[in-house]
Amino acid sequence: QSVLTQPPSVSAAPGQKVTISCSGSSSNIGDNYVFWYQQLPGTAPKLLIYDTDRRPSGTPDRFSGSKSGTSATLGITGLQTGDEADYYCGTWDSSLSAGVFGGGTKLTVL
Amino acid sequence: VQLVESGGGLVKPGGSLRVSCAGSGFTFSGYTMNWVRQAPGKGLEWVSSISTSSTNIHYADSVKGRFTISRDNAKNSLFLQMNSLGDEDTAVYYCARGTWGGGGLNYWGQGTLVTVSS
């Protein structure tokens, strides 16, 4: 059971928009930055969003991050087949003094 | 920036193994480093982190008391000593550069597979 809760899967058609939720608590999402990682099949994870809503160079502006209270959201617009991957939210938990990840969400672009 | 893990392999339950991560292309001593693992077909699990001068070290509860993280800044290397290994420790072990306090884990290695089996 992960500390952060994500939906196991989401799907949408090419060109459409999708959101992935990440629910936590006051000791993790509510108190710290949220990060999003993309893991393409058979590869290592890659940082997609950092400090809750910032994009590293190389992350298209189709990807966005936001946070409200103890929940965070990853948004992807203009879906492409190349976006099919597993997406993980992560943050620091101040009570556990540990990094925590969500269970991951598999995105399917139909 | 490149991170290359090594040292994975097959180990019997109760055994020990040390995995390493060699960093290059950046000032290794200037960055917090992490180990993150992923069991086959499962999600990511943060394992441990170590600050630049090794003064701040944290572990996941699942490995506390069994795993030890260390680094050698002179050799641009990160280590994870794993003792009392169990089936639940079977995973790909990734090293990752960065901190949860800002910036995130912004570079990852390709991982090294540790299999615990009799």
Side-chain angles (χ1 to χ4, degrees):
Chain A
Q1 194 80 353
S2 301
V3 172
L4 305 180
T5 301
Q6 298 180 236
S9 64
V10 295
S11 62
Q16 296 300 303
K17 172 184 176 179
V18 71
T19 59
I20 298 174
S21 61
C22 176
S23 178
S25 69
S26 58
S27 65
N28 43 65
I29 290 178
D31 197 36
N32 295 290
Y33 288 128
V34 179
F35 306 91
W36 289 92
Y37 299 90
Q38 178 193 58
Q39 187 174 33
L40 297 168
T43 69
K46 169 190 159 186
L47 180 66
L48 194 65
I49 297 288
Y50 71 99
D51 296 359
T52 303
D53 58 7
R54 304 190 69 175
R55 285 185 302 274
S57 58
T59 295
D61 60 8
R62 301 186 295 106
F63 294 86
S64 64
S66 64
K67 182 175 88 168
S68 178
T70 60
S71 292
T73 302
L74 173 70
I76 312 173
T77 60
L79 277 170
Q80 302 175 2
T81 55
D83 296 332
E84 287 201 333
D86 293 321
Y87 292 84
Y88 295 90
C89 59
T91 187
W92 185 256
D93 190 297
S94 303
S95 294
L96 298 173
S97 290
V100 290
F101 287 103
T105 299
K106 182 176 183 61
L107 169 65
T108 300
V109 181
L110 301 168
Chain B
V1 174
Q2 194 170 14
L3 297 168
V4 179
E5 301 92 338
S6 61
L10 177 63
V11 61
K12 288 181 167 52
S16 298
L17 197 67
R18 187 197 203 204
V19 292
S20 303
C21 171
S24 61
F26 66 104
T27 304
F28 184 84
S29 61
Y31 291 88
T32 291
M33 298 297 295
N34 300 259
W35 288 102
V36 176
R37 69 183 179 182
Q38 186 170 35
K42 303 296 184 182
L44 302 176
E45 180 187 14
W46 173 83
V47 173
S48 181
S49 65
I50 185 168
S51 62
T52 55
S53 55
S54 306
T55 52
N56 287 308
I57 289 175
H58 299 281
Y59 296 100
D61 285 345
S62 58
V63 307
K64 204 171 290 183
R66 301 187 299 122
F67 289 13
T68 302
I69 192 172
S70 62
R71 64 190 297 163
D72 184 340
N73 287 337
K75 295 184 178 180
N76 295 337
S77 294
L78 175 72
F79 306 101
L80 187 67
Q81 176 67 43
M82 302 182 288
N83 299 330
S84 303
L85 285 162
D87 295 347
E88 69 278 9
D89 298 312
T90 293
V92 173
Y93 285 74
Y94 296 101
C95 71
R97 186 191 88 169
T99 175
W100 296 95
L105 308 186
N106 53 16
Y107 285 94
W108 297 61
Q110 85 290 346
T112 187
L113 176 62
V114 172
T115 303
V116 183
S117 175
S118 54

